Amino acid sequence: MSRLAASRLTSPAATPMRVARVLIACLMGVSLLSACAERPEPVTSATPTDTEDAPGAVAPLTGESASLEILGRPSLAAKIGNDVEARPQRGLERADLVFEELVEGGLTRYVAVWQSQIPEELGPLRSIRPMDPDIISPFGGIVAYSGGQQIFVDQMENTPVKNFIHGQPNADPFMYRSKDKPAPHNVILRAEKLIDDQKGLAAPPTQFEHAETAEGASALQGGTPVATILATFSASRQQSWAWDTTQGVFLRSQQGKPDLDTDGKTRSATNVIVLRVNIDNQYPGVPKTVLIGSGTGHVSTGGQVIPVTWSKTEATAPITLTTEAGEPILLAPGNAWVELVPLISGAEVRFE
């Protein structure tokens, strides 16, 4: 009760009616304060944060559950070396998609694409080749590489992909030469830093179609069992994949030896896509994988393999996979390796 109210109650001039009014007012004030103190907070519906899975949302390149952060960030493609001196490569085990292609001398290199997982660093970066614009254009986003012949660099820059080239001013904050490997196998990209710097770029569109679960993958619906996939690019590049029932993935080997990452673990893939492709020799000494067109191949997942037809209508269009009956191929949710095996003498594919 306030001092003013108390003085009025104790004053000789205070009448019974005035005392009653003051008491009622004081009691009402206490009641209102009590009610306000006990009033519950309003209930609001929970919404996912950037790092939580968004209900029903899947990553565009893997078909796996995705957070708002994944759904909103661009893809990062990079040209990665596969010379013996380049191994083990950094960050390759976290790529959503890896394309293996034939280059000079019967060797192979990778175009790897990250989006659902971004490693802190990746590499070693190598130079661009004439088929890379056709591989990378459908993703948009970013591409990083060490350089290349000017004609191939011009072709890559003439795409809807933002180029970061070692030695160029825009790439300097994000690339450096490591001391653990000799040049030219030591150009490393600070991938997380680059993605953080390029958040305004759009996320990639869906490339391959995915089933909702692994059990719904096309190979498990109409495929035949496969234990080993052999993909020979040349005498010096013989790749193989072995189905591992325990882990539920295909494990990769090169030249008969496990293909290891920087932690000593064998590289693996949920889906292995083997496409037979023609080679264009319009650039002397530099084979170009022909991707605008169509051909045949196989998709393997869950220890099963199914024959497919592939097609690509233009540089910015994704590769489409269908069954022999023309139905869309559904991959299992997860990463995929795409072996672009050339239709040349000495190159072959076998399933055992």
Side-chain angles (χ1 to χ4, degrees):
M1 187 180 299
S2 68
R3 291 181 180 178
L4 177 59
S7 66
R8 286 177 177 175
L9 285 174
T10 57
S11 170
T15 65
M17 182 62 70
R18 290 174 63 190
V19 171
R21 288 176 179 172
V22 172
L23 286 173
I24 291 171
C26 291
L27 290 172
M28 288 180 65
V30 172
S31 178
L32 287 171
L33 288 172
S34 177
C36 291
E38 296 176 0
R39 184 176 298 164
E41 293 293 326
V43 177
T44 58
S45 58
T47 56
T49 67
D50 284 352
T51 56
E52 292 177 338
D53 285 351
V58 297
L61 305 185
T62 66
E64 297 176 303
S65 296
S67 66
L68 294 177
E69 179 183 14
I70 292 173
L71 295 175
R73 70 183 170 210
S75 59
L76 169 59
K79 192 63 181 287
I80 304 294
N82 189 32
D83 306 79
V84 173
E85 298 87 348
R87 304 174 196 159
Q89 299 90 341
R90 300 190 194 184
L92 199 58
E93 68 281 354
R94 298 178 68 181
D96 293 341
L97 296 169
V98 180
F99 296 81
E100 185 169 19
E101 61 186 27
L102 181 71
V103 293
E104 308 91 283
L107 303 178
T108 64
R109 286 186 183 169
Y110 304 131
V111 171
V113 186
W114 292 260
Q115 200 268 339
S116 63
Q117 299 183 63
I118 306 296
E120 181 179 359
E121 296 184 339
L122 59 85
L125 300 182
R126 295 306 306 270
S127 54
I128 211 73
R129 289 296 184 274
M131 53 280 197
D132 297 336
D134 291 342
I135 296 174
I136 300 169
S137 290
F139 299 95
I142 304 164
V143 61
Y145 53 101
S146 65
Q149 294 187 35
Q150 192 59 49
I151 186 173
F152 306 146
V153 172
D154 291 344
Q155 291 170 357
M156 191 67 247
E157 289 190 313
N158 190 31
T159 68
V161 184
K162 189 166 184 178
N163 285 230
F164 287 83
I165 309 170
H166 183 242
Q168 297 297 314
N170 72 329
D172 284 345
F174 310 107
M175 297 182 188
Y176 72 97
R177 286 194 182 273
S178 68
K179 297 180 180 180
D180 61 337
K181 291 182 173 66
H185 313 285
N186 62 351
V187 178
I188 303 301
L189 175 69
R190 298 182 177 96
E192 279 188 342
K193 184 177 179 181
L194 178 57
I195 285 292
D196 287 344
D197 187 71
Q198 298 294 313
K199 287 182 177 179
L201 296 177
T206 298
Q207 300 294 308
F208 300 115
E209 296 189 48
H210 291 83
E212 291 185 4
T213 64
E215 291 73 21
S218 296
L220 292 178
Q221 303 302 309
T224 57
V226 61
T228 305
I229 305 165
L230 301 171
T232 302
F233 285 76
S234 68
S236 61
R237 284 294 178 270
Q238 298 167 338
Q239 323 298 22
S240 65
W241 296 88
W243 172 244
D244 186 283
T245 305
T246 303
Q247 300 183 60
V249 293
F250 289 96
L251 299 178
R252 177 178 168 83
S253 294
Q254 298 197 79
Q255 300 299 102
K257 297 180 180 180
D259 187 8
L260 304 179
D261 63 21
T262 53
D263 291 327
K265 297 179 180 179
T266 303
R267 301 192 187 281
S268 64
T270 300
N271 304 281
V272 178
I273 304 169
V274 180
L275 305 182
R276 301 309 304 270
V277 294
N278 288 311
I279 296 295
D280 186 332
N281 293 306
Q282 63 178 301
Y283 304 105
V286 182
K288 177 186 177 181
T289 299
V290 179
L291 284 177
I292 309 301
S294 61
T296 60
H298 290 80
V299 167
S300 301
T301 192
Q304 304 284 313
V305 61
I306 189 172
V308 302
T309 296
W310 69 266
S311 64
K312 181 175 168 69
T313 57
E314 58 184 357
T316 55
I319 296 172
T320 298
L321 302 174
T322 59
T323 66
E324 292 178 315
E327 297 295 325
I329 290 290
L330 300 179
L331 303 183
N335 72 324
W337 278 62
V338 184
E339 304 284 11
L340 300 172
V341 183
L343 290 164
I344 60 175
S345 177
E348 64 172 338
V349 175
R350 297 203 316 270
F351 299 90
E352 300 175 349

